[in-house]
């Protein structure tokens, strides 16, 4: 009964949030990686440096879940077992594939810069520059992944702000 | 090189953060559930209402990952590919088992209340009350789970606040 089917609300939420958690399966065991993402043309895009565990698992098993969650606060109730959490969450399922088109990769990375460092760089990224992208950690080329969800479910438990217990500022 | 092995820092982080993402494997596919948790005596505790998909999967496959992540901001750099994220994250792996001792379940739920609604209730929970706990959604009894990690890895990329790009207030 908490399902949210408002597509515009889901898209706005995915556009505004910064971090999601990628769920992977490696040798039958779960592995979960938090990462920054962008939502672009109905797909999640994220990037990695080509040498991490995430990339290794994805090369063996591309089936992923991706969950974006925003806690709004604790919903108070005089009865402890009726206290609850106000939140919005979106879960997506599908295959995460490496983007091979340099222009698509450049457009996705440009969107990353626009989202996380708006107006910081004066020049746009070009696909030529992307091919020269190297990690400052290990010199590997950047890999851009696209997840076009086969399934999206969203849940929402909104609450009157007046009954929310304040979350500590961290 | 971003590994954090400072146990006190890890425990402080787990005590302070509110939400983690549970990674599950269901029929060989990944499933990721965000949830509130408490860290108590070296274990993660979380609860559910006994009827959800999470509980169903756990009854078939108790092997989980649990990831707690805190983004601190974007680390600026004049070269786009050297821009980075400042964060702290802790990943845990092990089996999530249902707590059968009523006193342990009560102590875990009390810690949930103390963490998320400090000083809101005047009376402490008792194990008798816990057994009467029923979801306001479907009338099911509350189930408390304990994950004692077999493996913990923590990563940290701290950065001078001066070079962090401000995150939008949401």
């Amino acid at each position: 009964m908490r399902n949210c089917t408002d597509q515009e609300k889901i898209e706005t939420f995915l556009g505004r949030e910064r971090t999601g958690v990628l769920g992977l399966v490696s040798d039958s065991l779960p592995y979960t990686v938090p990462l920054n993402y962008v939502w672009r043309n109905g797909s999640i895009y994220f990037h990695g440096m080509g040498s991490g565990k995430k990339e290794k698992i994805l090369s063996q098993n591309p089936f992923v879940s991706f969950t974006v969650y925003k806690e709004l606060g604790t919903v108070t109730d005089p009865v402890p077992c009726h206290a609850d959490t106000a939140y919005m969450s979106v879960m997506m399922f599908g295959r995460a594939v490496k983007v091979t088109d340099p222009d698509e990769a450049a457009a996705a990375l440009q969107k990353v810069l626009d989202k996380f460092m708006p107006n910081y760089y004066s020049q746009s990224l070009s696909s030529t520059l992307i091919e020269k992208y190297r990690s400052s950690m290990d010199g590997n080329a950047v890999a851009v992944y696209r997840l076009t969800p086969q399934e999206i479910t969203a849940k929402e438990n909104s609450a009157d702000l007046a009954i929310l217990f304040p979350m500590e500022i961290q």
Side-chain angles (χ1 to χ4, degrees), chain A:
Chain A
M1 70 199 200
R2 289 176 172 178
N3 287 341
C4 168
T5 54
D6 180 337
Q7 282 306 311
E8 197 181 320
K9 194 166 195 176
I10 292 170
E11 301 239 351
T12 302
F13 178 76
L14 290 175
R16 195 186 59 212
E17 293 304 314
R18 302 168 60 91
T19 305
V21 173
L22 187 70
L24 303 162
V25 177
S26 172
D27 292 331
S28 304
L29 291 172
Y31 189 74
T32 32
V33 193
L35 41 82
N36 291 130
Y37 71 91
V38 290
W39 175 250
R40 177 177 172 273
N41 299 343
S43 294
I44 292 287
Y45 287 85
F46 58 91
H47 64 290
M49 284 310 168
S51 59
K53 183 163 180 184
K54 171 181 72 190
E55 286 83 351
K56 193 177 164 202
I57 298 173
L58 283 174
S59 69
Q60 294 162 349
N61 182 356
F63 290 96
V64 302
S65 62
F66 191 71
T67 298
V68 183
Y69 177 80
K70 171 78 172 171
E71 185 187 16
L72 303 171
T74 300
V75 185
T76 58
D77 192 287
V79 182
C81 63
H82 292 168
D84 203 348
T85 302
Y87 67 91
M88 174 142 184
S89 70
V90 177
M91 283 190 195
M92 290 157 275
F93 303 90
R95 291 171 70 240
V97 296
K98 203 181 273 197
V99 173
T100 52
D101 174 2
D103 292 332
E104 186 184 357
L109 289 174
Q110 182 63 51
K111 189 147 186 175
V112 170
L113 296 181
D114 292 345
K115 179 175 179 179
F116 293 96
M117 305 172 76
N119 306 315
Y120 184 80
Y121 298 110
S122 53
Q123 287 194 304
S124 293
L125 290 174
S126 70
S127 53
T128 318
L129 181 64
I130 302 295
E131 286 168 27
K132 291 181 191 155
Y133 248 53
R134 289 289 180 269
S135 162
S136 56
M137 284 178 69
D138 56 17
N140 269 303
V142 67
V144 176
Y145 291 87
R146 180 186 59 238
L147 162 63
T148 307
Q150 292 174 328
E151 188 190 346
I152 298 187
T153 61
K155 287 191 182 179
E156 184 183 25
N157 183 27
S158 55
D160 188 332
L161 282 179
I163 59 164
L164 286 182
F165 197 92
M167 292 196 286
E168 242 180 307
I169 304 296
Q170 293 177 355

